[in-house]
């Protein structure tokens, strides 16, 4: 299955080994907006043929962490403390799934962010998270795709 990558998205070399196993991630960053996206394939589906909820939650969690890191120019990295998700609609193989990230606040010890996973104008999931602020990733971690 071939997924069309919309203009303005570049392949992202982040997400760690877990997300790398689920597929390529793409980034569009313009005018203060951060969008992390991926093409949905059959391997992302459950027995009903729709994207597995765990996959949607994984993408949301990853997009929030990457969005926070990008928004502070990698001065910090982030570890999830709490993730809240609401599943609103199904995503299917062939869909281009975008995580629209909103950074609410980065403090000295915790950060807050939310996102919407969308297929076009349809919102499949909304998520919000609380993250522990950590030291920046090392050059070795960055080279490995974290």
């Amino acid at each position: 299955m071939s997924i069309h990558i919309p203009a303005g998205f570049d392949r992202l070399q982040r997400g760690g080994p877990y997300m790398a196993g689920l597929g390529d991630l793409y980034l569009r960053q313009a005018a203060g907006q951060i969008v992390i996206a991926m093409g949905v394939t059959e391997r992302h589906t459950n027995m009903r043929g729709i994207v597995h909820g765990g996959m949607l939650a994984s993408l949301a969690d990853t997009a929030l962490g990457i969005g926070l890191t990008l928004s502070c120019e990698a001065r910090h990295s982030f570890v999830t403390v709490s993730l809240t998700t609401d599943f609103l609609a199904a995503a299917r193989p062939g869909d281009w799934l975008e995580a629209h990230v909103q950074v609410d606040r980065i403090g000295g010890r915790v950060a807050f962010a939310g996102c919407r996973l969308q297929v076009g104008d349809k919102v499949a999931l909304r998520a919000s998270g609380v993250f522990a602020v950590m030291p920046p990733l090392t050059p070795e971690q960055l080279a490995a795709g974290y």
Side-chain angles (χ1 to χ4, degrees):
M1 171 180 297
S2 177
I3 301 288
H4 169 72
I5 301 164
F9 281 93
D10 296 309
R11 177 125 189 279
L12 187 58
Q13 301 292 329
R14 298 284 298 274
Y18 175 75
M19 282 306 294
L22 295 176
D24 293 337
L25 295 178
Y26 296 85
L27 169 68
R28 182 179 72 210
Q29 189 174 8
Q33 294 184 330
I34 297 169
V35 180
I36 309 291
M38 69 181 301
V40 176
T41 66
E42 293 287 334
R43 70 178 164 171
H44 301 124
T45 62
N46 60 21
M47 293 183 301
R48 297 188 180 277
I50 60 175
V51 176
H52 192 284
M55 174 57 204
L56 294 173
S58 291
L59 178 57
D61 186 38
T62 299
L64 290 168
I66 292 171
L68 284 163
T69 300
L70 290 172
S71 73
C72 72
E73 299 173 351
R75 288 188 307 272
H76 305 287
S77 62
F78 300 87
V79 177
T80 309
V81 173
S82 172
L83 181 69
T84 301
T85 58
D86 296 307
F87 299 91
L88 304 173
R92 294 180 164 70
D95 285 346
W96 180 251
L97 187 59
E98 296 181 354
H100 295 256
V101 177
Q102 173 187 329
V103 173
D104 298 316
R105 180 177 186 276
I106 299 175
R109 297 189 313 168
V110 294
F112 303 86
C115 72
R116 294 176 328 279
L117 298 189
Q118 294 181 209
V119 175
D121 291 333
K122 177 181 72 174
V123 178
L125 176 140
R126 68 179 172 211
S128 62
V130 179
F131 298 81
V133 178
M134 306 296 289
L137 296 174
T138 65
E140 294 80 14
Q141 289 170 314
L142 290 170
Y146 288 92

PDB file of all heavy atoms in Angstrom, residues 89-117:
ATOM      1  N   ALA A  89     -13.114   8.827  16.664  1.00  0.00           N
ATOM      2  CA  ALA A  89     -13.486   8.275  15.356  1.00  0.00           C
ATOM      3  C   ALA A  89     -12.407   7.288  14.929  1.00  0.00           C
ATOM      4  O   ALA A  89     -11.306   7.270  15.480  1.00  0.00           O
ATOM      5  CB  ALA A  89     -13.627   9.387  14.318  1.00  0.00           C
ATOM      6  N   ALA A  90     -12.728   6.480  13.946  1.00  0.00           N
ATOM      7  CA  ALA A  90     -11.789   5.465  13.472  1.00  0.00           C
ATOM      8  C   ALA A  90     -10.863   6.021  12.398  1.00  0.00           C
ATOM      9  O   ALA A  90     -11.224   6.922  11.648  1.00  0.00           O
ATOM     10  CB  ALA A  90     -12.563   4.273  12.913  1.00  0.00           C
ATOM     11  N   ALA A  91      -9.660   5.471  12.356  1.00  0.00           N
ATOM     12  CA  ALA A  91      -8.734   5.693  11.248  1.00  0.00           C
ATOM     13  C   ALA A  91      -8.549   4.334  10.578  1.00  0.00           C
ATOM     14  O   ALA A  91      -8.680   3.291  11.215  1.00  0.00           O
ATOM     15  CB  ALA A  91      -7.412   6.246  11.754  1.00  0.00           C
ATOM     16  N   ARG A  92      -8.231   4.364   9.272  1.00  0.00           N
ATOM     17  CA  ARG A  92      -8.179   3.136   8.483  1.00  0.00           C
ATOM     18  C   ARG A  92      -6.917   3.092   7.623  1.00  0.00           C
ATOM     19  O   ARG A  92      -6.308   4.131   7.354  1.00  0.00           O
ATOM     20  CB  ARG A  92      -9.405   3.049   7.591  1.00  0.00           C
ATOM     21  CG  ARG A  92     -10.682   2.883   8.389  1.00  0.00           C
ATOM     22  CD  ARG A  92     -11.918   2.792   7.495  1.00  0.00           C
ATOM     23  NE  ARG A  92     -13.056   2.265   8.223  1.00  0.00           N
ATOM     24  CZ  ARG A  92     -13.708   2.915   9.183  1.00  0.00           C
ATOM     25  NH1 ARG A  92     -13.337   4.115   9.538  1.00  0.00           N
ATOM     26  NH2 ARG A  92     -14.736   2.356   9.791  1.00  0.00           N
ATOM     27  N   PRO A  93      -6.546   1.888   7.166  1.00  0.00           N
ATOM     28  CA  PRO A  93      -5.396   1.787   6.263  1.00  0.00           C
ATOM     29  C   PRO A  93      -5.569   2.720   5.066  1.00  0.00           C
ATOM     30  O   PRO A  93      -6.659   2.868   4.523  1.00  0.00           O
ATOM     31  CB  PRO A  93      -5.429   0.311   5.826  1.00  0.00           C
ATOM     32  CG  PRO A  93      -6.099  -0.394   6.961  1.00  0.00           C
ATOM     33  CD  PRO A  93      -7.137   0.582   7.462  1.00  0.00           C
ATOM     34  N   GLY A  94      -4.468   3.352   4.696  1.00  0.00           N
ATOM     35  CA  GLY A  94      -4.476   4.321   3.601  1.00  0.00           C
ATOM     36  C   GLY A  94      -4.645   5.748   4.065  1.00  0.00           C
ATOM     37  O   GLY A  94      -4.399   6.687   3.308  1.00  0.00           O
ATOM     38  N   ASP A  95      -5.059   5.932   5.326  1.00  0.00           N
ATOM     39  CA  ASP A  95      -5.242   7.286   5.864  1.00  0.00           C
ATOM     40  C   ASP A  95      -3.890   7.939   6.151  1.00  0.00           C
ATOM     41  O   ASP A  95      -2.926   7.278   6.536  1.00  0.00           O
ATOM     42  CB  ASP A  95      -6.043   7.263   7.172  1.00  0.00           C
ATOM     43  CG  ASP A  95      -7.519   7.025   6.971  1.00  0.00           C
ATOM     44  OD1 ASP A  95      -8.010   7.133   5.830  1.00  0.00           O
ATOM     45  OD2 ASP A  95      -8.207   6.719   7.975  1.00  0.00           O
ATOM     46  N   TRP A  96      -3.848   9.248   5.995  1.00  0.00           N
ATOM     47  CA  TRP A  96      -2.722  10.084   6.430  1.00  0.00           C
ATOM     48  C   TRP A  96      -3.148  10.654   7.771  1.00  0.00           C
ATOM     49  O   TRP A  96      -4.084  11.436   7.854  1.00  0.00           O
ATOM     50  CB  TRP A  96      -2.452  11.176   5.410  1.00  0.00           C
ATOM     51  CG  TRP A  96      -1.316  12.084   5.784  1.00  0.00           C
ATOM     52  CD1 TRP A  96      -1.420  13.379   6.182  1.00  0.00           C
ATOM     53  CD2 TRP A  96       0.073  11.766   5.786  1.00  0.00           C
ATOM     54  NE1 TRP A  96      -0.178  13.894   6.422  1.00  0.00           N
ATOM     55  CE2 TRP A  96       0.762  12.914   6.194  1.00  0.00           C
ATOM     56  CE3 TRP A  96       0.810  10.612   5.486  1.00  0.00           C
ATOM     57  CZ2 TRP A  96       2.143  12.956   6.305  1.00  0.00           C
ATOM     58  CZ3 TRP A  96       2.187  10.648   5.595  1.00  0.00           C
ATOM     59  CH2 TRP A  96       2.848  11.810   6.000  1.00  0.00           C
ATOM     60  N   LEU A  97      -2.479  10.229   8.845  1.00  0.00           N
ATOM     61  CA  LEU A  97      -2.873  10.558  10.211  1.00  0.00           C
ATOM     62  C   LEU A  97      -1.941  11.628  10.764  1.00  0.00           C
ATOM     63  O   LEU A  97      -0.730  11.417  10.847  1.00  0.00           O
ATOM     64  CB  LEU A  97      -2.817   9.290  11.062  1.00  0.00           C
ATOM     65  CG  LEU A  97      -3.323   9.327  12.483  1.00  0.00           C
ATOM     66  CD1 LEU A  97      -4.795   9.736  12.547  1.00  0.00           C
ATOM     67  CD2 LEU A  97      -3.132   7.956  13.134  1.00  0.00           C
ATOM     68  N   GLU A  98      -2.506  12.773  11.115  1.00  0.00           N
ATOM     69  CA  GLU A  98      -1.721  13.904  11.594  1.00  0.00           C
ATOM     70  C   GLU A  98      -1.990  14.171  13.072  1.00  0.00           C
ATOM     71  O   GLU A  98      -3.138  14.219  13.494  1.00  0.00           O
ATOM     72  CB  GLU A  98      -2.078  15.172  10.823  1.00  0.00           C
ATOM     73  CG  GLU A  98      -1.747  15.108   9.361  1.00  0.00           C
ATOM     74  CD  GLU A  98      -2.072  16.381   8.620  1.00  0.00           C
ATOM     75  OE1 GLU A  98      -2.672  17.311   9.210  1.00  0.00           O
ATOM     76  OE2 GLU A  98      -1.714  16.459   7.427  1.00  0.00           O
ATOM     77  N   ALA A  99      -0.919  14.375  13.836  1.00  0.00           N
ATOM     78  CA  ALA A  99      -1.007  14.781  15.237  1.00  0.00           C
ATOM     79  C   ALA A  99      -0.686  16.273  15.302  1.00  0.00           C
ATOM     80  O   ALA A  99       0.455  16.679  15.101  1.00  0.00           O
ATOM     81  CB  ALA A  99      -0.026  13.984  16.091  1.00  0.00           C
ATOM     82  N   HIS A 100      -1.694  17.080  15.570  1.00  0.00           N
ATOM     83  CA  HIS A 100      -1.537  18.531  15.693  1.00  0.00           C
ATOM     84  C   HIS A 100      -1.258  18.839  17.161  1.00  0.00           C
ATOM     85  O   HIS A 100      -2.146  18.691  18.004  1.00  0.00           O
ATOM     86  CB  HIS A 100      -2.798  19.245  15.214  1.00  0.00           C
ATOM     87  CG  HIS A 100      -3.047  19.055  13.756  1.00  0.00           C
ATOM     88  ND1 HIS A 100      -2.788  20.042  12.832  1.00  0.00           N
ATOM     89  CD2 HIS A 100      -3.499  17.989  13.047  1.00  0.00           C
ATOM     90  CE1 HIS A 100      -3.079  19.592  11.629  1.00  0.00           C
ATOM     91  NE2 HIS A 100      -3.513  18.345  11.737  1.00  0.00           N
ATOM     92  N   VAL A 101      -0.033  19.255  17.448  1.00  0.00           N
ATOM     93  CA  VAL A 101       0.441  19.416  18.822  1.00  0.00           C
ATOM     94  C   VAL A 101       0.277  20.859  19.292  1.00  0.00           C
ATOM     95  O   VAL A 101       0.591  21.794  18.564  1.00  0.00           O
ATOM     96  CB  VAL A 101       1.922  19.000  18.939  1.00  0.00           C
ATOM     97  CG1 VAL A 101       2.445  19.223  20.357  1.00  0.00           C
ATOM     98  CG2 VAL A 101       2.100  17.543  18.516  1.00  0.00           C
ATOM     99  N   GLN A 102      -0.192  20.991  20.523  1.00  0.00           N
ATOM    100  CA  GLN A 102      -0.280  22.299  21.178  1.00  0.00           C
ATOM    101  C   GLN A 102       0.481  22.221  22.497  1.00  0.00           C
ATOM    102  O   GLN A 102       0.118  21.447  23.389  1.00  0.00           O
ATOM    103  CB  GLN A 102      -1.738  22.662  21.457  1.00  0.00           C
ATOM    104  CG  GLN A 102      -1.887  23.933  22.277  1.00  0.00           C
ATOM    105  CD  GLN A 102      -3.332  24.167  22.692  1.00  0.00           C
ATOM    106  OE1 GLN A 102      -4.253  23.801  22.002  1.00  0.00           O
ATOM    107  NE2 GLN A 102      -3.494  24.801  23.851  1.00  0.00           N
ATOM    108  N   VAL A 103       1.538  23.003  22.613  1.00  0.00           N
ATOM    109  CA  VAL A 103       2.307  23.066  23.851  1.00  0.00           C
ATOM    110  C   VAL A 103       1.657  24.128  24.735  1.00  0.00           C
ATOM    111  O   VAL A 103       1.538  25.283  24.335  1.00  0.00           O
ATOM    112  CB  VAL A 103       3.783  23.397  23.571  1.00  0.00           C
ATOM    113  CG1 VAL A 103       4.539  23.629  24.872  1.00  0.00           C
ATOM    114  CG2 VAL A 103       4.414  22.279  22.747  1.00  0.00           C
ATOM    115  N   ASP A 104       1.239  23.719  25.911  1.00  0.00           N
ATOM    116  CA  ASP A 104       0.571  24.646  26.826  1.00  0.00           C
ATOM    117  C   ASP A 104       1.548  25.339  27.764  1.00  0.00           C
ATOM    118  O   ASP A 104       1.447  26.540  27.983  1.00  0.00           O
ATOM    119  CB  ASP A 104      -0.501  23.907  27.632  1.00  0.00           C
ATOM    120  CG  ASP A 104      -1.583  23.340  26.743  1.00  0.00           C
ATOM    121  OD1 ASP A 104      -2.044  24.055  25.826  1.00  0.00           O
ATOM    122  OD2 ASP A 104      -1.964  22.173  26.943  1.00  0.00           O
ATOM    123  N   ARG A 105       2.498  24.573  28.326  1.00  0.00           N
ATOM    124  CA  ARG A 105       3.443  25.187  29.266  1.00  0.00           C
ATOM    125  C   ARG A 105       4.612  24.246  29.501  1.00  0.00           C
ATOM    126  O   ARG A 105       4.428  23.043  29.660  1.00  0.00           O
ATOM    127  CB  ARG A 105       2.763  25.471  30.598  1.00  0.00           C
ATOM    128  CG  ARG A 105       3.667  26.112  31.637  1.00  0.00           C
ATOM    129  CD  ARG A 105       2.916  26.441  32.921  1.00  0.00           C
ATOM    130  NE  ARG A 105       3.742  27.160  33.848  1.00  0.00           N
ATOM    131  CZ  ARG A 105       4.590  26.583  34.701  1.00  0.00           C
ATOM    132  NH1 ARG A 105       4.741  25.287  34.733  1.00  0.00           N
ATOM    133  NH2 ARG A 105       5.303  27.323  35.532  1.00  0.00           N
ATOM    134  N   ILE A 106       5.811  24.811  29.525  1.00  0.00           N
ATOM    135  CA  ILE A 106       7.000  24.064  29.929  1.00  0.00           C
ATOM    136  C   ILE A 106       7.558  24.772  31.149  1.00  0.00           C
ATOM    137  O   ILE A 106       7.994  25.920  31.068  1.00  0.00           O
ATOM    138  CB  ILE A 106       8.052  24.007  28.810  1.00  0.00           C
ATOM    139  CG1 ILE A 106       7.482  23.293  27.583  1.00  0.00           C
ATOM    140  CG2 ILE A 106       9.314  23.293  29.310  1.00  0.00           C
ATOM    141  CD1 ILE A 106       8.412  23.283  26.382  1.00  0.00           C
ATOM    142  N   GLY A 107       7.502  24.095  32.282  1.00  0.00           N
ATOM    143  CA  GLY A 107       8.025  24.653  33.521  1.00  0.00           C
ATOM    144  C   GLY A 107       9.388  24.064  33.845  1.00  0.00           C
ATOM    145  O   GLY A 107      10.008  23.395  33.014  1.00  0.00           O
ATOM    146  N   GLY A 108       9.830  24.283  35.053  1.00  0.00           N
ATOM    147  CA  GLY A 108      11.127  23.769  35.473  1.00  0.00           C
ATOM    148  C   GLY A 108      11.133  22.274  35.717  1.00  0.00           C
ATOM    149  O   GLY A 108      12.151  21.608  35.517  1.00  0.00           O
ATOM    150  N   ARG A 109       9.981  21.727  36.157  1.00  0.00           N
ATOM    151  CA  ARG A 109       9.913  20.290  36.455  1.00  0.00           C
ATOM    152  C   ARG A 109       8.879  19.533  35.649  1.00  0.00           C
ATOM    153  O   ARG A 109       9.019  18.334  35.446  1.00  0.00           O
ATOM    154  CB  ARG A 109       9.648  20.082  37.939  1.00  0.00           C
ATOM    155  CG  ARG A 109      10.792  20.626  38.799  1.00  0.00           C
ATOM    156  CD  ARG A 109      10.673  20.264  40.248  1.00  0.00           C
ATOM    157  NE  ARG A 109       9.330  20.518  40.757  1.00  0.00           N
ATOM    158  CZ  ARG A 109       8.881  20.085  41.916  1.00  0.00           C
ATOM    159  NH1 ARG A 109       9.661  19.364  42.682  1.00  0.00           N
ATOM    160  NH2 ARG A 109       7.667  20.367  42.321  1.00  0.00           N
ATOM    161  N   VAL A 110       7.805  20.207  35.226  1.00  0.00           N
ATOM    162  CA  VAL A 110       6.765  19.545  34.438  1.00  0.00           C
ATOM    163  C   VAL A 110       6.366  20.405  33.247  1.00  0.00           C
ATOM    164  O   VAL A 110       6.538  21.624  33.251  1.00  0.00           O
ATOM    165  CB  VAL A 110       5.501  19.202  35.279  1.00  0.00           C
ATOM    166  CG1 VAL A 110       5.799  18.159  36.327  1.00  0.00           C
ATOM    167  CG2 VAL A 110       4.899  20.434  35.888  1.00  0.00           C
ATOM    168  N   ALA A 111       5.820  19.724  32.247  1.00  0.00           N
ATOM    169  CA  ALA A 111       5.335  20.387  31.032  1.00  0.00           C
ATOM    170  C   ALA A 111       3.954  19.840  30.712  1.00  0.00           C
ATOM    171  O   ALA A 111       3.607  18.711  31.093  1.00  0.00           O
ATOM    172  CB  ALA A 111       6.292  20.143  29.876  1.00  0.00           C
ATOM    173  N   PHE A 112       3.170  20.635  29.994  1.00  0.00           N
ATOM    174  CA  PHE A 112       1.796  20.269  29.650  1.00  0.00           C
ATOM    175  C   PHE A 112       1.599  20.495  28.154  1.00  0.00           C
ATOM    176  O   PHE A 112       1.987  21.535  27.618  1.00  0.00           O
ATOM    177  CB  PHE A 112       0.802  21.141  30.428  1.00  0.00           C
ATOM    178  CG  PHE A 112       0.983  21.056  31.917  1.00  0.00           C
ATOM    179  CD1 PHE A 112       1.895  21.876  32.569  1.00  0.00           C
ATOM    180  CD2 PHE A 112       0.244  20.151  32.657  1.00  0.00           C
ATOM    181  CE1 PHE A 112       2.073  21.795  33.939  1.00  0.00           C
ATOM    182  CE2 PHE A 112       0.403  20.071  34.035  1.00  0.00           C
ATOM    183  CZ  PHE A 112       1.321  20.886  34.671  1.00  0.00           C
ATOM    184  N   ALA A 113       0.967  19.519  27.500  1.00  0.00           N
ATOM    185  CA  ALA A 113       0.709  19.643  26.070  1.00  0.00           C
ATOM    186  C   ALA A 113      -0.506  18.800  25.695  1.00  0.00           C
ATOM    187  O   ALA A 113      -0.913  17.901  26.440  1.00  0.00           O
ATOM    188  CB  ALA A 113       1.932  19.200  25.258  1.00  0.00           C
ATOM    189  N   GLY A 114      -1.069  19.100  24.550  1.00  0.00           N
ATOM    190  CA  GLY A 114      -2.196  18.337  24.042  1.00  0.00           C
ATOM    191  C   GLY A 114      -2.077  18.188  22.540  1.00  0.00           C
ATOM    192  O   GLY A 114      -1.275  18.868  21.890  1.00  0.00           O
ATOM    193  N   CYS A 115      -2.858  17.277  21.982  1.00  0.00           N
ATOM    194  CA  CYS A 115      -2.876  17.124  20.530  1.00  0.00           C
ATOM    195  C   CYS A 115      -4.199  16.531  20.071  1.00  0.00           C
ATOM    196  O   CYS A 115      -4.965  15.987  20.867  1.00  0.00           O
ATOM    197  CB  CYS A 115      -1.709  16.268  20.029  1.00  0.00           C
ATOM    198  SG  CYS A 115      -1.820  14.520  20.374  1.00  0.00           S
ATOM    199  N   ARG A 116      -4.426  16.694  18.774  1.00  0.00           N
ATOM    200  CA  ARG A 116      -5.554  16.058  18.093  1.00  0.00           C
ATOM    201  C   ARG A 116      -4.970  15.210  16.981  1.00  0.00           C
ATOM    202  O   ARG A 116      -4.147  15.685  16.196  1.00  0.00           O
ATOM    203  CB  ARG A 116      -6.480  17.102  17.462  1.00  0.00           C
ATOM    204  CG  ARG A 116      -7.198  17.984  18.419  1.00  0.00           C
ATOM    205  CD  ARG A 116      -8.024  19.068  17.691  1.00  0.00           C
ATOM    206  NE  ARG A 116      -7.493  19.559  16.429  1.00  0.00           N
ATOM    207  CZ  ARG A 116      -6.528  20.475  16.290  1.00  0.00           C
ATOM    208  NH1 ARG A 116      -5.969  21.001  17.355  1.00  0.00           N
ATOM    209  NH2 ARG A 116      -6.121  20.860  15.099  1.00  0.00           N
ATOM    210  N   LEU A 117      -5.380  13.944  16.913  1.00  0.00           N
ATOM    211  CA  LEU A 117      -5.014  13.109  15.780  1.00  0.00           C
ATOM    212  C   LEU A 117      -6.126  13.233  14.762  1.00  0.00           C
ATOM    213  O   LEU A 117      -7.286  12.967  15.074  1.00  0.00           O
ATOM    214  CB  LEU A 117      -4.855  11.644  16.180  1.00  0.00           C
ATOM    215  CG  LEU A 117      -3.770  11.296  17.193  1.00  0.00           C
ATOM    216  CD1 LEU A 117      -3.619   9.782  17.295  1.00  0.00           C
ATOM    217  CD2 LEU A 117      -2.446  11.935  16.857  1.00  0.00           C
TER     218      LEU A 117
END
